[in-house]
């Protein structure tokens, strides 16, 4: 991988990097077991759909080490859901998906809990399940109404188009495969209060769900998140479910209760990335310029609503990806199936939307017999202030420069010729090449979620503790906020400590999601820093004037604009004091050294009924070009080379951003080319472990992997002029999928336009057919 340019880098090391490597980082199941602590195991349904007749727990309760067995009837309220409370915490009336939680075994040891759960008998009158989008549509099985976004006159423009294509695009789901499974510990507190330690992206939702389920007020529940061993969206909403189960056991027993899922149970119970099936029509001219696009999205939401409507809407927002749609009609609906309820996953629907247009462009290029890059450049958003199909102006747009720079950097025309030459001579293998883009909107699509608060406390020795609503899942949000605060005060990053996220310090916070963790919480922390800095600057000015009576009075109106905080000093043209000196003086003069900052994202709005607005603060842009090599005899694909060029504004921490770009791309690569969820006819997930579910290994990554950033100082609307990085590069994994589709153009495949995602070796072999085998 290409190393970043250290001359421009502000890459402080990840705050947990050393402890991760040494094994000293503490995760949920590393916490010492308390005296009397109990262990939990979930009893799961062994049918996909049916009415529960009875749940027999007597045999399990007779186990020597079992304390109790709990069911949905033991909750004060047995319903939950991040948007609509439509999901039972423990199913007690209707089974809606295979492996749905039905009962909870509470035992003295983990081994006993898992032994005893086999003794719980669940009798069910089975009902006919729904397992596919087609089946759901045929049965009018829906979880949402239809959403619609319209721009221009797509029907008329489609009819007038010289060329037309129509078809179906399908993408599969994806398992989050965080290394730390769903995990939480519930501790009893005085007066019936509950303290939860959770591996969650959303401590506030854990707090609220637990309080609701147990009939408690929200102030009776505290949730603390130190860190997660990965999240990727899978712990945004669904960690709350696990916390409620643990809290129920604590309420029933008065004991600390630990629930740590095995990887198998986690994969069986929890939801995935949403599979989609979409019907489309596109009209274009002889050069490939798109005149009209119509897409009907159908997202498989699974058994319950979860976050599906928001995910579907983001897919609809991102169907343009980086390309201007003058005339478009985009519709979408969430279908209900008897699968685990699908949920947030890195990209949050954006990849599913972008995949459609990138696939269509590949088909247009084949239809017209031109290079797909030329079609992309023709349709690319330019710098003239064009609007998206939902009415947001594309500002500070570096997409043309990114495409131009990347095309030049990799010598694309020469590269394409080399691929052409190889394919003319090779009998056993075929190569493909494709350059795709990402234009990812940054903000939560629900307006009220775009807010954060932070608590900054400066101690008398000049060190700082910071508490925010952001949760650390390995992505480095704590390190970025550490950098923002240290720069604000002009002190060393080692003097700034990010504290565990707690609902008692940071209230009513949003999930660390939507790539907005650093944006929102970093901005809130900066607001708090500014309040403290004004007081310190006033004090420094007063001290320099020896303007003192009994105490320095910083409540006076004093101009601090010429005071600077840098290199552990507070300076102006007339004075220079150490940061620690002024901090100590502030304490002696009873001046506050702590502040709470609140930030809300400006300028965003969206009308769902009209399908118009500005749902995003800005866009993170980038492009990737990938070359693949396919073995015609096996369908096995190797990624020979990938080059990525990103616009991340002015990165807060380039080292972390490079890691995020690489990780997101590889995870996107897995979704696009290798990861396949396999189910039995009964609805049981078969690929529920590392032995049956394939995530990318080192052998699946590009043999040559180059990542570079464009320098861009135009994004002044965001904290430090930075741009979010967590999700946007995921979409660039589509460059490999499109390269596979391009490779199929060189073969005898007559069905390249029906290529589904992921393009696994099995899928590729079906595309090649017998006629192209050696």
């Amino acid at each position: 991988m290409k190393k970043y340019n250290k001359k421009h880098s502000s890459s402080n090391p990840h705050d947990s990097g050393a402890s991760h490597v040494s094994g000293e980082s503490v995760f949920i199941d590393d916490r010492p077991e308390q005296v009397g602590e109990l262990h939990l195991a979930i009893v799961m349904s062994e049918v996909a759909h049916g009415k529960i007749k009875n749940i027999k727990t007597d045999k399990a309760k007779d186990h020597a080490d079992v304390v109790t067995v709990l069911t949905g009837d033991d909750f004060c309220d047995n319903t939950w859901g991040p948007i609509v409370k439509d999901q039972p915490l423990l199913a007690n009336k209707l089974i809606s998906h295979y492996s749905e939680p039905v009962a909870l075994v509470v035992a003295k040891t983990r081994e006993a809990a898992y032994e005893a759960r086999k003794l719980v008998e669940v009798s069910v009158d089975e009902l006919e399940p729904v397992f596919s989008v087609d089946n759901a549509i045929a049965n009018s099985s829906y979880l949402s109404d239809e959403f619609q976004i319209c721009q221009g006159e797509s029907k008329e423009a489609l009819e007038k188009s010289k060329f037309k294509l129509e078809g179906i695009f399908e993408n599969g789901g994806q398992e989050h495969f965080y290394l730390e499974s769903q995990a939480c510990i519930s501790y009893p507190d005085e007066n019936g209060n509950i303290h939860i330690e959770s591996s969650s992206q959303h401590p506030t939702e854990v707090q609220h769900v637990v309080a609701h389920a147990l009939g408690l007020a929200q102030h009776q529940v505290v949730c603390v998140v130190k860190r997660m061993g990965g999240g990727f969206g899978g712990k945004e909403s669904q960690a709350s479910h696990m916390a409620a189960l643990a809290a129920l056991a604590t309420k029933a027993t008065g004991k600390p209760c630990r629930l740590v899922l095995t990887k198998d149970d986690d994969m069986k119970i929890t939801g995935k990335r949403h599979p989609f099936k979409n019907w489309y029509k596109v009209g274009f001219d002889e050069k490939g310029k798109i005149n009209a696009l119509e897409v009907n999205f159908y997202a498989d939401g699974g058994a319950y609503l979860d976050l599906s409507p928001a995910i579907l809407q983001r897919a609809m927002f991102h169907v343009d990806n980086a390309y201007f749609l003058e005339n478009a009609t985009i519709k979408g609906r969430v279908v209900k199936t008897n699968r685990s309820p699908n949920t947030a996953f890195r990209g949050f629907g954006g990849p599913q939307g972008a995949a459609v247009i990138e696939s269509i462009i590949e088909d247009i290029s084949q239809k017209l017999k031109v290079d797909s890059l030329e079609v992309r450049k023709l349709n690319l958003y330019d710098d003239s202030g064009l609007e998206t199909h939902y009415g947001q102006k594309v500002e500070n747009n570096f997409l043309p420069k990114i495409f131009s720079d990347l095309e030049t950097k990799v010598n694309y025309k020469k590269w394409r010729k080399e691929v052409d030459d190889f394919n003319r001579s090779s009998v056993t293998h075929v190569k493909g090449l494709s350059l795709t883009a990402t234009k990812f909107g940054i903000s939560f699509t629900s307006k009220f979620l775009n807010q954060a608060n932070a608590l900054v406390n400066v101690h008398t020795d000049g060190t700082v503790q910071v508490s925010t609503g952001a949760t650390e899942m390995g992505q480095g949000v704590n390190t970025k906020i550490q950098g923002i605060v240290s720069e604000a005060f002009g002190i060393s990053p080692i003097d700034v400590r990010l504290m565990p996220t707690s609902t008692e310090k940071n209230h009513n916070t949003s999930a660390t999601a939507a790539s907005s963790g650093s944006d929102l919480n970093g901005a809130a922390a900066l607001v708090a820093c500014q309040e403290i800095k004004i007081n310190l600057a006033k004090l420094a000015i007063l001290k320099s004037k020896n303007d003192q009576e009994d105490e320095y009075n910083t409540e006076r109106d004093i101009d601090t604009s010429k005071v600077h905080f840098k290199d552990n000093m507070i300076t102006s043209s007339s004075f220079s004091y150490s940061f620690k000196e002024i901090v100590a003086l502030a304490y002696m003069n009873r001046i506050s050294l702590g502040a709470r900052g609140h930030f809300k994202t400006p300028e965003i709005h969206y009308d769902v009924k009209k399908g118009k607005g500005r749902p995003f603060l800005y866009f993170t842009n980038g492009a990737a070009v990938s070359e693949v090599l396919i073995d015609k005899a096996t369908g096995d694909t190797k990624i020979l080379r990938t080059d990525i060029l990103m616009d991340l504004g002015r990165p807060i921490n380039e080292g972390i951003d490079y890691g995020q770009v690489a990780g997101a791309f590889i995870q996107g690569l897995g979704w696009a080319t290798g990861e396949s969820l396999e189910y039995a006819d009964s609805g049981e997930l078969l690929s529920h472990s590392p032995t049956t579910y394939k995530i990318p290994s080192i052998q699946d990554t590009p043999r040559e992997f180059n990542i570079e950033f464009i320098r861009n100082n135009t994004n002044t609307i965001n904290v430090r002029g930075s741009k979010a990085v967590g999700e946007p590069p995921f979409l660039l994994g589509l460059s490999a999928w499109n390269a596979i589709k391009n490779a199929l153009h060189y073969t005898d495949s007559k069905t390249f336009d029906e290529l589904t995602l992921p393009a696994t070796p099995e899928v590729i072999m079906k595309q090649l057919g017998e006629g192209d085998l050696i």
Side-chain angles (χ1 to χ4, degrees):
M1 182 190 301
K2 185 177 181 64
K3 300 296 184 183
Y4 56 85
N5 186 343
K6 292 187 177 181
K7 184 176 70 172
H8 299 294
S9 176
S10 55
S11 299
N12 299 317
H14 192 291
D15 70 330
S16 297
S19 59
H20 283 351
V21 173
S22 67
E24 296 173 281
S25 295
V26 176
F27 296 90
I28 294 296
D29 210 23
D30 294 322
R31 294 180 65 83
E33 188 170 326
Q34 291 197 359
V35 174
E37 185 173 309
L38 302 174
H39 296 266
L40 312 178
I42 298 172
V43 178
M44 300 179 290
S45 166
E46 295 184 355
V47 300
H49 196 203
K51 295 179 180 179
I52 297 175
K53 293 191 294 184
N54 57 65
I55 303 172
K56 295 181 180 180
T57 62
D58 293 345
K59 291 181 181 178
K61 287 180 177 178
D62 288 340
H63 191 289
D65 288 329
V66 169
V67 176
T68 188
V69 180
L70 302 168
T71 67
D73 295 334
D74 294 300
F75 280 106
C76 179
D77 191 314
N78 189 35
T79 59
W80 80 287
I83 297 177
V84 176
K85 292 179 174 58
D86 65 336
Q87 182 174 353
L89 291 158
L90 290 171
N92 57 354
K93 295 178 181 177
L94 185 71
I95 297 295
S96 295
H97 67 88
Y98 207 101
S99 300
E100 183 167 13
V102 175
L104 187 68
V105 176
V106 184
K108 296 177 182 177
T109 68
R110 192 171 299 181
E111 293 75 16
Y114 278 89
E115 286 175 7
R117 76 172 179 174
K118 299 174 185 176
L119 302 176
V120 176
E121 299 175 7
V122 183
S123 299
V124 179
D125 282 334
E126 292 193 48
L127 300 170
E128 187 70 24
V130 172
F131 289 142
S132 69
V133 169
D134 288 333
N135 198 200
I137 294 172
N139 287 276
S140 298
S141 179
Y142 297 106
L143 285 169
S144 78
D145 294 330
E146 184 177 80
F147 299 100
Q148 184 167 302
I149 300 173
C150 293
Q151 172 67 25
E153 299 294 336
S154 64
K155 184 176 181 180
E156 181 180 339
L158 195 61
E159 290 174 351
K160 292 181 178 179
S161 294
K162 183 174 182 179
F163 296 95
K164 305 179 187 66
L165 290 173
E166 60 180 278
I168 298 171
F169 180 84
E170 290 185 77
N171 70 260
Q174 185 182 19
E175 163 61 34
H176 299 86
F177 218 94
Y178 27 71
L179 294 183
E180 179 193 32
S181 295
Q182 297 281 357
C184 57
I185 306 175
S186 172
Y187 297 99
D189 211 338
E190 296 177 353
N191 303 316
N193 299 329
I194 297 287
H195 178 101
I196 301 281
E197 296 278 344
S198 177
S199 181
S200 169
Q201 295 174 234
H202 200 344
T204 289
E205 187 173 41
V206 169
Q207 176 195 27
H208 293 179
V209 170
V210 168
H212 175 81
L214 301 189
L216 301 175
Q218 291 174 5
H219 77 297
Q220 291 181 271
V221 181
V222 172
C223 177
V224 176
V225 178
K226 170 67 174 174
R227 62 166 60 88
M228 288 161 277
F232 308 116
K235 296 175 181 175
E236 179 175 345
S237 65
Q238 299 198 358
S240 304
H241 188 180
M242 300 301 118
L245 298 182
L248 175 66
T250 291
K251 182 180 180 182
T253 64
K255 301 288 186 180
C257 292
R258 184 179 302 233
L259 177 59
V260 178
L261 298 190
T262 65
K263 181 56 66 179
D264 296 82
D265 284 2
D266 188 300
M267 292 179 71
K268 289 177 181 179
I269 293 171
T270 60
K272 321 298 179 191
R273 181 182 297 279
H274 288 65
F276 274 65
K277 187 169 185 177
N278 317 304
W279 282 260
Y280 66 85
K281 295 179 181 178
V282 62
F284 51 98
D285 65 19
E286 65 279 358
K287 293 184 178 180
K289 178 70 174 177
I290 295 174
N291 302 316
L293 178 67
E294 295 182 349
V295 182
N296 286 337
F297 283 101
Y298 288 92
D300 184 348
Y304 304 108
L305 191 66
D306 202 270
L307 293 164
S308 295
I311 291 164
L312 170 63
Q313 287 178 63
R314 187 174 275 270
M316 295 169 67
F317 288 146
H318 285 73
V319 72
D320 63 332
N321 199 19
Y323 314 106
F324 175 59
L325 302 176
E326 186 174 4
N327 301 285
T329 299
I330 313 300
K331 299 178 181 179
R333 199 165 185 184
V334 182
V335 303
K336 180 177 182 177
T337 63
N338 295 111
R339 302 287 193 205
S340 300
N342 290 314
T343 191
F345 199 137
R346 197 175 199 167
F348 204 77
Q352 291 96 313
V356 175
I357 191 69
E358 293 292 359
S359 175
I360 287 173
I361 287 177
E362 212 68 49
D363 293 342
I364 291 172
S365 73
Q366 177 65 10
K367 175 74 174 179
L368 299 176
K369 305 301 180 186
V370 297
D371 194 300
S372 61
L373 177 57
E374 298 307 313
V375 179
R376 288 184 169 90
K377 289 194 296 183
L378 187 64
N379 288 284
L380 195 68
Y381 281 104
D382 60 28
D383 56 6
S384 65
L386 296 170
E387 290 188 355
T388 64
H389 54 296
Y390 47 87
Q392 177 165 348
K393 185 178 290 186
V394 181
E395 300 172 310
N396 302 318
N397 179 23
F398 272 55
L399 280 167
K401 177 175 173 56
I402 290 170
F403 265 64
S404 175
D405 285 4
L406 185 57
E407 181 181 7
T408 301
K409 191 179 296 289
V410 301
N411 199 342
Y412 183 88
K413 290 183 179 179
K414 179 175 180 289
W415 197 351
R416 171 61 72 187
K417 183 179 183 302
E418 290 170 352
V419 169
D420 290 340
D421 292 344
F422 175 89
N423 288 334
R424 275 192 291 269
S425 61
S426 176
V427 176
T428 60
H429 292 76
V430 62
K431 285 185 176 182
L433 182 68
S434 189
L435 189 156
T436 65
T438 180
K439 177 185 68 66
F440 196 87
I442 305 299
S443 292
F444 285 97
T445 50
S446 296
K447 184 176 180 179
F448 69 91
L449 294 175
N450 293 285
Q451 60 176 311
N453 62 75
L455 176 63
V456 176
N457 292 324
V458 180
H459 297 280
T460 55
D461 65 351
T463 60
V464 182
Q465 290 179 330
V466 183
S467 300
T468 75
T471 56
E472 178 62 56
M473 63 194 91
Q475 84 281 34
V477 66
N478 283 352
T479 308
K480 284 193 171 184
I481 297 172
Q482 180 189 49
I484 290 170
V485 172
S486 68
E487 184 184 74
F489 287 127
I491 60 178
S492 169
I494 64 173
D495 289 332
V496 179
R497 179 185 175 193
L498 269 291
M499 307 307 293
T501 308
S502 171
T503 56
E504 79 177 300
K505 292 179 183 175
N506 299 97
H507 57 296
N508 305 328
T509 58
S510 299
T512 304
S515 298
S516 297
S518 297
D519 286 13
L520 292 172
N521 294 279
L526 193 56
V527 170
C529 291
Q530 292 301 114
E531 181 178 330
I532 298 169
K533 285 174 65 179
I534 288 173
N535 281 339
L536 294 178
K538 287 181 178 180
L539 181 57
I541 292 171
L542 292 172
K543 176 176 170 59
S544 71
K545 295 179 178 179
N546 198 24
D547 185 2
Q548 183 180 14
E549 296 177 0
D550 293 332
E551 290 182 317
Y552 289 111
N553 180 11
T554 57
E555 295 179 5
R556 295 158 56 182
D557 187 13
I558 302 173
D559 180 12
T560 63
S561 61
K562 292 182 172 59
V563 179
H564 305 288
F565 290 69
K566 189 175 182 180
D567 297 329
N568 295 301
M569 303 295 290
I570 301 176
T571 63
S572 77
S573 58
S574 59
F575 63 78
S576 178
Y577 302 117
S578 74
F579 180 77
K580 291 182 180 180
E581 178 184 359
I582 298 300
V583 165
L585 186 63
Y587 173 72
M588 297 305 294
N589 284 268
R590 300 185 296 177
I591 297 169
S592 174
L593 289 169
R596 180 175 294 279
H598 181 267
F599 175 80
K600 61 179 181 180
T601 305
E603 301 184 19
I604 55 173
H605 57 90
Y606 183 72
D607 188 319
V608 175
K609 292 182 179 179
K610 294 180 180 178
K612 295 295 179 183
R614 180 183 177 167
F616 307 118
L617 181 62
Y618 62 89
F619 298 101
T620 293
N621 300 322
V625 56
S626 291
E627 179 187 18
V628 302
L629 176 70
I630 299 174
D631 186 330
K632 293 182 181 181
T634 65
D636 182 60
T637 301
K638 286 181 171 57
I639 316 299
L640 298 181
R641 177 180 169 185
T642 294
D643 289 74
I644 295 175
L645 188 59
M646 295 289 297
D647 165 21
L648 299 180
R650 294 175 56 243
I652 295 170
N653 188 304
E654 285 200 20
I656 283 176
D657 285 354
Y658 272 92
Q660 285 291 288
V661 171
F665 172 81
I666 291 168
Q667 195 170 43
L669 190 68
W671 173 62
T673 66
E675 298 183 39
S676 181
L677 296 163
E678 302 295 334
Y679 295 87
D681 292 342
S682 64
E684 180 182 9
L685 179 66
L686 298 177
S687 50
H688 55 74
S689 73
T691 60
T692 52
Y693 185 80
K694 184 186 186 303
I695 62 171
S697 71
I698 191 65
Q699 295 298 325
D700 299 301
T701 58
R703 270 51 179 174
E704 182 180 345
F705 195 14
N706 302 308
I707 300 173
E708 291 192 30
F709 298 159
I710 274 183
R711 311 309 302 181
N712 176 7
N713 297 317
T714 65
N715 189 44
T716 56
I717 198 169
N718 196 45
V719 61
R720 278 274 308 274
S722 65
K723 286 191 173 188
V725 66
E727 293 172 294
F730 184 100
L731 281 66
L732 297 179
L734 291 170
S735 63
W737 185 88
N738 279 271
I740 291 171
K741 191 166 190 173
N742 173 248
L744 292 172
H745 293 171
Y746 289 95
T747 71
D748 293 336
S749 171
K750 301 297 189 293
T751 57
F752 66 87
D753 58 336
E754 298 174 9
L755 184 68
T756 56
L757 186 155
T760 63
E762 294 85 355
V763 167
I764 292 171
M765 289 306 295
K766 288 180 182 178
Q767 293 289 306
L768 287 172
E770 293 183 5
D772 209 55
L773 299 181
I774 60 171

